[in-house]
Amino acid sequence: MANYPRKKKILGHFKFGSVLFSTTLSLFIVGLFGVILIQAKTLTSMIRENIEVQVFLEKNLEEADLNSIQDNLTQRSFILRKEDSLGVKFISDEEAAATFIESTGEDFTEFLEDNPLRDSFVISIAEEFQTTEQLEAIAAELEAIPGVFEVSYMTDLVDSINKNLLKVSIVLGGFILILIITVVMLINNTIRLALFSQRFLIRSMQLVGATRGFIRKPFLSRAFLFGLMAGAFASVILFVLVNYTQANIEGFAMLQNSQLLYLLFAVLMVFGGILSVLSTLRAVNKYLNMSLDELY
């Protein structure tokens, strides 16, 4: 009998250790899917950055006219802007001819006296302006600029990208919903099982006159701490896994977004803490409302 309190204490540590392990594993799975979503978002942005609009110019424009058109383009809100670059590139008719000859292997200048190609600006469109309707409006807006001959972009490619990305988003959204429901149920059931052994302690505290708030407080505090710890452990495992993958898979680092990754780690910790508190609160309230016969 002398070893009974020690055994009971060890059993309590084991049960809450299993809660910590299960919660960490559940949050790790959520975080792993979050990393995949971050990569998908980065990949989507990289694909969309390749959607370009070509602005062909009138022949024999002066340099001042070219500068004016370029300034006009750079001030447009739909131009893709990055920290180190602006999505406006000028291509002269000579550069266009050289590119054509290199890609086709045919030198049209041998039988044509004049270069039929035109000076042009190739502009990259920001992601939020890449619907079919918006691109049509942008093309009409650019064609109204003095000195612009024609505006061209790959309509079929834009439609195909938008439709496929919509399908992928719906599928990923369904997986996320199923995953979150599964993780919530898993953590909730694990905590309920862990608190099952504490039901008589809760009843004893009621019998000596402890208020509901006083009884809940230590359980909720410990649950929040365990949730934070589980989120932190899951984040550390994910961080190590991501760094290992970056070091061993070429090109993987291009799909990473450090800011979103750290935000994911913070969300995992907060999500773990809140979910643990809510599950614990539900379980404690259940035992608080049970009669003595129901406890057995």
Side-chain angles (χ1 to χ4, degrees):
M1 293 296 294
N3 292 328
Y4 176 73
R6 177 178 174 82
K7 291 180 179 179
K8 186 175 181 180
K9 184 177 181 181
I10 293 174
L11 183 61
H13 285 315
F14 172 76
K15 289 180 178 179
F16 282 101
S18 66
V19 171
L20 181 61
F21 175 78
S22 299
T23 306
T24 300
L25 182 60
S26 301
L27 293 177
F28 170 75
I29 295 173
V30 173
L32 188 61
F33 202 82
V35 172
I36 295 174
L37 287 180
I38 291 174
Q39 294 174 346
K41 182 181 184 305
T42 305
L43 181 60
T44 299
S45 298
M46 293 172 63
I47 293 173
R48 288 187 175 277
E49 287 176 6
N50 292 322
I51 295 180
E52 297 176 334
V53 174
Q54 291 183 308
V55 181
F56 296 100
L57 307 179
E58 299 283 357
K59 286 282 191 176
N60 302 320
L61 291 178
E62 300 291 337
E63 185 175 353
D65 297 326
L66 296 177
N67 292 335
S68 177
I69 294 173
Q70 184 170 4
D71 291 339
N72 193 327
L73 292 175
T74 55
Q75 294 174 8
R76 305 283 174 161
S77 59
F78 50 76
I79 299 296
L80 177 65
R81 288 172 169 81
K82 294 184 177 180
E83 295 180 357
D84 56 348
S85 63
L86 184 66
V88 177
K89 179 182 178 182
F90 176 73
I91 300 178
S92 66
D93 55 352
E94 290 86 1
E95 291 175 330
T99 302
F100 180 84
I101 293 172
E102 182 179 356
S103 60
T104 62
E106 298 181 3
D107 189 355
F108 60 86
T109 59
E110 294 180 354
F111 53 88
L112 291 178
E113 296 182 358
D114 186 29
N115 182 2
L117 302 181
R118 297 174 178 270
D119 295 334
S120 64
F121 285 100
V122 177
I123 61 176
S124 299
I125 306 298
E127 189 171 340
E128 60 270 21
F129 294 94
Q130 291 186 5
T131 64
T132 303
E133 295 76 13
Q134 286 175 312
L135 286 174
E136 290 176 353
I138 289 172
E141 183 180 337
L142 294 176
E143 286 180 345
I145 299 175
V148 173
F149 174 76
E150 184 183 18
V151 176
S152 174
Y153 64 93
M154 299 181 67
T155 308
D156 294 339
L157 176 62
V158 173
D159 291 339
S160 177
I161 290 176
N162 288 333
K163 289 178 181 179
N164 289 331
L165 288 179
L166 178 61
K167 293 178 182 178
V168 172
S169 299
I170 293 174
V171 172
L172 288 179
F175 275 120
I176 291 173
L177 182 60
I178 295 173
L179 180 63
I180 290 178
I181 293 175
T182 303
V183 167
V184 169
M185 293 177 60
L186 177 61
I187 294 177
N188 182 64
N189 291 334
T190 302
I191 291 177
R192 285 181 58 188
L193 289 173
L195 287 175
F196 181 75
S197 63
Q198 306 291 316
R199 65 193 188 282
F200 292 113
L201 175 61
I202 294 173
R203 185 63 177 180
S204 299
M205 295 174 71
Q206 278 184 300
L207 293 176
V208 298
T211 63
R212 286 173 171 259
F214 181 83
I215 295 173
R216 292 191 193 103
K217 185 176 180 180
F219 290 103
L220 297 181
S221 299
R222 181 164 54 179
F224 185 71
L225 177 62
F226 272 54
L228 287 180
M229 291 173 59
F233 290 154
S235 299
V236 170
I237 296 172
L238 281 172
F239 183 76
V240 173
L241 180 63
V242 169
N243 283 334
Y244 176 81
T245 308
Q246 287 181 356
N248 291 274
I249 299 180
E250 185 178 356
F252 186 83
M254 296 175 58
L255 300 178
Q256 296 307 310
N257 187 316
S258 298
Q259 292 182 347
L260 291 179
L261 191 62
Y262 293 139
L263 178 61
L264 174 64
F265 295 160
V267 169
L268 286 178
M269 294 179 65
V270 174
F271 179 66
I274 293 177
L275 184 57
S276 297
V277 167
L278 293 178
S279 299
T280 302
L281 179 62
R282 184 170 180 269
V284 172
N285 284 339
K286 176 184 177 181
Y287 295 126
L288 284 174
N289 295 324
M290 279 184 174
S291 65
L292 186 59
D293 291 337
E294 291 175 325
L295 290 177
Y296 284 98

